[in-house]
Amino acid sequence: MFCTNCGKQLPDGARFCHECGTPQAVQQPAQQPTQQAPQQPIQHPAQQPVYQPPVQQPVVRPAAPVIPAPTPGQAAVVSSNAAVVTSNTGVVASNAGVVASNTAVAASNAGVMASNAAVAATNTAVVAATGLSTIAKVLIGLLITAVILGCCAFFIPLNDYGDTFTDFLFGNAYWDEDENGIYHCLDNFETSFNERELSAMLDSFPPAISAEYKLALGMMDFIGGQFGLDGIFTEEMMGAAFGMVLDSSYIDFEIIEFDFNPVRNECSVLLRMEMDGEVAEDYINMVKIGSKWYISGEYFEGGDIF
């Protein structure tokens, strides 16, 4: 017998196919007739066809509905509607931005109005507190400017001598550089003479002469230092002796005129001198060394120092 499913040959009476496991129909033996039937020719079972597996049919899916293509007019209308929708969306967003901007501007205007109100209140308070007119304010400004200029004129030096604008203005300095140098040299001599300061007096004479005398004073100071008189002998004791010789003599110089000799860097100065109540006019010779003026050293050579 053969399998009814796969066609595999099976032993007679097999209930299942040992190849594919398909149950097989069991053939019952035919009942013998009571009367002997005529002998039929033996018929062999027809050869079973070889099993062919069923062919799998392809799955047929329903076709998508065919949407008719829009006409050119309909396509243009659809495109136009889409553009309108996009434009409306942009307009809505723009309007939202404008509303937000207007809100910010309104808030800023409110702040500016508040600031203006504060400034107006401040100005009102200032005007009410001061009660000053425009002319009064201008006068106050001019007064402050005058005070500042006056301080500058009194305290700001304009040269190496420390002269300020007021010194030139009131005749305590000369605008000409050479005349101003002579004035300060004589002024230093007058001040140091009246204060009995020997070293300062020597500074009014040429360096070669003042150095010689300062050397002598230094040696005297050294000798005095050996006896515990350091710094006293030359300044105080010599000054005291100088003062005793001069007694109560004081001098006062007033420059009358200058007579310059630029070739020799000299100048003859006419002075009005007052000493011990006596007034006289006399010439004194000045010499320029470098950029500074000194009393001529000829007064040391003739012994006529004072």
Side-chain angles (χ1 to χ4, degrees):
M1 59 179 297
F2 298 90
C3 177
T4 59
N5 182 36
C6 63
K8 186 71 175 178
Q9 186 174 2
L10 303 175
D12 292 340
R15 293 178 177 274
F16 299 92
C17 177
H18 63 270
E19 185 67 24
C20 64
T22 302
Q24 304 295 318
V26 180
Q27 295 181 1
Q28 298 294 335
Q31 296 181 357
Q32 294 295 329
T34 56
Q35 294 181 358
Q36 184 177 3
Q39 187 176 5
Q40 295 294 333
I42 298 173
Q43 295 182 355
H44 297 282
Q47 186 175 2
Q48 297 295 327
V50 179
Y51 173 77
Q52 297 292 333
V55 179
Q56 187 177 3
Q57 297 296 328
V59 179
V60 179
R61 294 184 175 88
V66 179
I67 300 174
T71 62
Q74 291 174 340
V77 170
V78 171
S79 176
S80 176
N81 290 339
V84 168
V85 171
T86 303
S87 176
N88 289 339
T89 303
V91 169
V92 170
S94 178
N95 289 339
V98 169
V99 170
S101 177
N102 290 339
T103 303
V105 169
S108 177
N109 290 339
V112 170
M113 292 177 64
S115 177
N116 291 338
V119 171
T122 302
N123 292 337
T124 303
V126 169
V127 172
T130 59
L132 299 177
S133 63
T134 303
I135 297 177
K137 293 178 181 179
V138 171
L139 292 177
I140 292 176
L142 292 176
L143 179 61
I144 294 174
T145 303
V147 171
I148 294 174
L149 292 177
C151 292
C152 294
F154 274 97
F155 299 108
I156 297 180
L158 302 179
N159 56 25
D160 294 337
Y161 297 108
D163 295 325
T164 62
F165 179 78
T166 53
D167 291 325
F168 290 98
L169 188 62
F170 296 118
N172 295 325
Y174 289 79
W175 295 106
D176 182 81
E177 183 178 355
D178 288 327
E179 292 180 358
N180 198 41
I182 293 173
Y183 166 79
H184 279 284
C185 177
L186 294 175
D187 183 66
N188 175 71
F189 180 83
E190 174 188 329
T191 302
S192 57
F193 178 90
N194 292 333
E195 294 180 358
R196 311 298 191 252
E197 294 181 357
L198 299 181
S199 297
M201 286 178 58
L202 291 173
D203 289 336
S204 299
F205 294 92
I209 295 176
S210 63
E212 180 180 350
Y213 279 85
K214 285 185 177 181
L215 178 61
L217 292 176
M219 293 178 64
M220 295 172 66
D221 181 67
F222 175 75
I223 295 173
Q226 302 302 314
F227 298 95
L229 300 175
D230 186 29
I232 297 177
F233 188 77
T234 56
E235 295 296 331
E236 295 186 3
M237 295 186 64
M238 289 296 293
F242 184 64
M244 291 175 62
V245 172
L246 296 177
D247 192 12
S248 59
S249 298
Y250 289 89
I251 60 174
D252 182 34
F253 290 154
E254 180 182 351
I255 298 176
I256 306 277
E257 65 180 11
F258 300 92
D259 184 13
F260 286 98
N261 184 348
V263 176
R264 300 182 60 181
N265 284 331
E266 295 179 349
C267 180
S268 180
V269 183
L270 178 60
L271 295 177
R272 180 182 180 274
M273 297 180 290
E274 181 179 352
M275 184 172 183
D276 297 334
E278 297 181 2
V279 178
E281 291 186 0
D282 196 3
Y283 285 93
I284 184 171
N285 294 326
M286 308 289 296
V287 59
K288 186 178 183 180
I289 301 176
S291 60
K292 296 188 64 176
W293 285 92
Y294 301 91
I295 299 175
S296 176
E298 62 184 278
Y299 297 102
F300 281 88
E301 296 174 358
D304 187 14
I305 301 178
F306 311 109

